[in-house]
Structure formats: C-alpha cells, structure tokens
C-alpha cells in the first residue's frame, strides 16, 4: 500500500509517501508560495506516484465540516492569498483516491497515537509551538472536531509578572500564541530564540506560558499523554521547566501518579520527532482509505 501525505505549513509544504506501518519512503520540501502555484508543484510531485490515498494536515483555520459547501477550504488565515481557498477541491480534481483532511496539529496528534509516543493510548493532546501555536486533540480513539477544530493556540493566559511584552497575535494580542510563539520570543528579546542561551530568563517566561496551556488541557480534556512539538520545543531545557510549572499550577489537585511522580513520561516530545506532521498526514490518508473500504 502506498499512502500519500502532505504536511502543509505556512513556510513550507512537505510531501511524501509511505506505508501502513508509518515508514516514510520518499519526501520533498517545497516553499509555501501563492496557493495555485504551490499546489501545482504538489500535484506534479504526486502525478507518477500511484498512491492509494492522500492525507493532508494543513495550517489553518480550515473548514472540516463535510456537510458544508466550503468543506476543504482554508478559511480565515492571515497567510496571503490562502483565505477562502479551495485547497482540497483542487487536489480532488487531479487524484481520484480517498482523502484525509484536517489541521496539521490534529494530524500530528493522530500520527503520534498511531505510530509514536502515544501509541497504544486512546487519548493525547499535541501542542505545536513554533511560528504559530496549535493544538491537536485525540480522545477515545478519535480526533476532536466540533463547531470547527481546536484552536488552543489562542487561549487567553495570565501574564508573567515580569513580562511587559504586549503580544504579537494580530487577532488577540497577548493570547498564548501572541506571547509564546517563535515570533513572539524574537520580538520580545530582539533575537531569535535559537540564538538565546539555554540559561536565559526567556525560557522561564516561555515555560510559564506553555505550562498554563498544558494545565488547561489537563483540566479540560484529561489526556493520557501531552506531547510538545514544534521548533521552539527543540529547546530541550524547556521540558523540565514546563513540568515544574504544571505541577505548581495543579498543586496536587489532579490525583494521578502520571502527574505526581511520573511527569517526565507524561509531558514529552514527539516520538516521531520532526516526522510527526508527515506521518500524521499519512495516518489521515490511511484512515480515509479504511473508511472508504467500510463504506463500500
């Protein structure tokens, strides 16, 4: 079986294919340009690959309601040219195979539950913390959808007492993304996060904000794993700081050994590492293929 996968990011598209064991057999990376030009390159890549299905995990927000006339569209993204763009429709015209369609973070959550750090568990929450912040929710063996899809990157949070940064989110200013994304770190300190020392006070402030978001996810969703990915989380010194913040916030209220004595194995990096997004898209494609087999 050959599963096509598209990890559509605001900066780059990663396309590839693999098998039902989560093994990636081929991949390419394309810069994200204007939508028609970018998807023409995606189509050209898959033209001779003879895939059985394609999964798409994309930046958003997106329409994920199959009953909507705008299903498969990118909706209110600030990404130039992509708002109200019929992403899925364009690809379906070219390839007559089952398609999986969801956010990049929901895809990553599904990938981790299928082949990664949450394999064997029926629930996990995946945060990606990078250019933006997103959350994917997998519970009782399913991805969470509702009114739209989870948008936990825009949670409203308490300010760190020593942080005077106004926030960088164009919609909400000082929401989680506005205070803790990669661009927020750079604007606050006038230097890229990757160039800050590991002992810089920036990471205490970052952990303060991410710790609040993780605490909220635990209290509202009670997942069996919390997975933190994205470029900012390449700063591995953040993990112990975030775990400490979460335990401080919870103050022993949630009586679970996973939080009280084994938190190092509860708040964790992606098991699929930087392949979480592409493997997640593969998992979406596999899911769509299986569903079509059931329907037929």
């Amino acid at each position: 079986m050959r599963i096509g996968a598209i990890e559509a990011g605001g900066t780059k598209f990663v396309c590839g294919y693999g098998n039902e064991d989560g093994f990636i057999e081929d991949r390419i990376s394309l810069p994200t340009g204007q939508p028609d030009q970018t998807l023409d390159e995606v189509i050209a890549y898959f033209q001779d690959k003879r895939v059985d299905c394609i999964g798409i995990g994309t930046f958003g927000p997106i329409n994920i309601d199959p009953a909507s006339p705008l299903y498969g569209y990118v909706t209110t993204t600030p990404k130039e040219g992509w708002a109200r763009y019929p992403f899925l429709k364009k690809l379906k015209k070219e390839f007559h195979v089952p398609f999986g369609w969801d956010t990049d973070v929901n895809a990553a959550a599904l990938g981790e539950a299928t082949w990664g750090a949450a394999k064997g568990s029926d629930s996990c929450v995946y945060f990606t913390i990078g250019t933006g912040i997103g959350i994917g929710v997998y519970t009782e063996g399913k991805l969470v959808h509702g009114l739209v899809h989870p948008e936990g990157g825009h949670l409203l949070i308490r300010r760190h007492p020593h942080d005077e940064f106004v926030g960088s989110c164009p919609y909400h200013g000082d929401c989680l993304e506005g205070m803790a994304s990669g661009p927020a770190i750079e604007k606050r300190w006038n230097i890229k996060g990757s160039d800050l020392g590991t002992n810089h006070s920036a990471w205490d402030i970052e952990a303060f904000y991410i710790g609040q978001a993780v605490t909220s996810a635990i209290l509202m969703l009670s997942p069996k794993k919390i997975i933190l990915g994205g470029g900012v989380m390449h700063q591995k010194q953040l993990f112990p700081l975030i775990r400490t913040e979460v335990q401080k916030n919870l103050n022993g209220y949630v009586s679970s050994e996973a939080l009280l004595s084994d938190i190092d194995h509860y708040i964790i990096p992606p098991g699929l590492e930087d392949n979480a997004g592409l493997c997640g898209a593969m998992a979406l494609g596999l899911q769509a293929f299986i569903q079509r087999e059931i329907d037929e």
Side-chain angles (χ1 to χ4, degrees), residues 171-184:
Y171 288 91
H172 312 114
D174 60 355
C175 65
L176 176 64
E177 182 172 296
M179 300 304 282
S181 65

Side-chain angles (χ1 to χ4, degrees), residues 152-276:
H154 295 271
L155 284 169
L156 301 180
I157 52 174
R158 288 183 293 183
R159 282 184 159 274
H160 189 282
H162 303 304
D163 188 12
E164 296 180 358
F165 180 58
V166 296
S168 63
C169 175
Y171 288 91
H172 312 114
D174 60 355
C175 65
L176 176 64
E177 182 172 296
M179 300 304 282
S181 65
I185 295 170
E186 184 174 351
K187 287 179 182 177
R188 180 187 286 108
W189 301 104
N190 296 313
I191 186 173
K192 288 185 179 295
S194 56
D195 294 329
L196 290 168
T198 57
N199 294 319
H200 196 284
S201 61
W203 305 120
D204 293 317
I205 292 174
E206 184 73 4
F208 178 83
Y209 293 129
I210 298 172
Q212 287 185 60
V214 170
T215 301
S216 295
I218 292 167
L219 292 171
M220 293 187 69
L221 301 167
S222 198
K224 292 177 181 173
K225 292 284 184 186
I226 299 272
I227 302 166
L228 304 179
V232 170
M233 293 311 302
H234 288 166
Q235 301 291 329
K236 298 302 182 187
Q237 71 274 12
L238 276 170
F239 279 94
L241 297 174
I242 291 166
R243 292 170 186 139
T244 297
E245 288 291 332
V246 169
Q247 287 181 320
K248 183 171 69 177
N249 292 341
L250 291 172
N251 198 27
Y253 181 71
V254 179
S255 183
S256 168
E257 289 305 310
L259 294 167
L260 298 173
S261 62
D262 198 28
I263 198 167
D264 289 1
H265 296 107
Y266 178 73
I267 300 172
I268 53 177
L272 298 170
E273 300 179 339
D274 289 336
N275 289 326

Side-chain angles (χ1 to χ4, degrees), residues 5 7 25 27-28 41 53 59 68-69 73 82 87 106 119 124 127 177 190 206 235 242 261 278:
E7 179 189 1
E25 298 172 24
R27 67 193 297 160
I28 63 163
E41 292 184 50
C53 53
F59 67 90
S68 168
Y73 278 59
W82 287 86
F87 190 139
N106 255 356
K119 184 177 180 180
C124 70
F127 283 91
E177 182 172 296
N190 296 313
E206 184 73 4
Q235 301 291 329
I242 291 166
S261 62
L278 194 61

Side-chain angles (χ1 to χ4, degrees), residues 4-9 12 14 22-24 27 55-58 102-119 124-129 134 136 143 226-231 233-234 236 268-285:
I6 302 168
E7 179 189 1
K12 66 178 180 179
V14 181
F23 178 74
I24 298 170
R27 67 193 297 160
I56 305 167
T58 179
D102 215 315
T103 63
D104 47 2
V105 272
N106 255 356
L110 181 62
E112 288 293 327
T114 306
W115 299 301
K119 184 177 180 180
C124 70
V125 166
Y126 187 104
F127 283 91
T128 184
I129 303 151
L143 292 171
I226 299 272
I227 302 166
L228 304 179
M233 293 311 302
H234 288 166
K236 298 302 182 187
I268 53 177
L272 298 170
E273 300 179 339
D274 289 336
N275 289 326
L278 194 61
C279 284
M282 282 172 51
L284 288 172

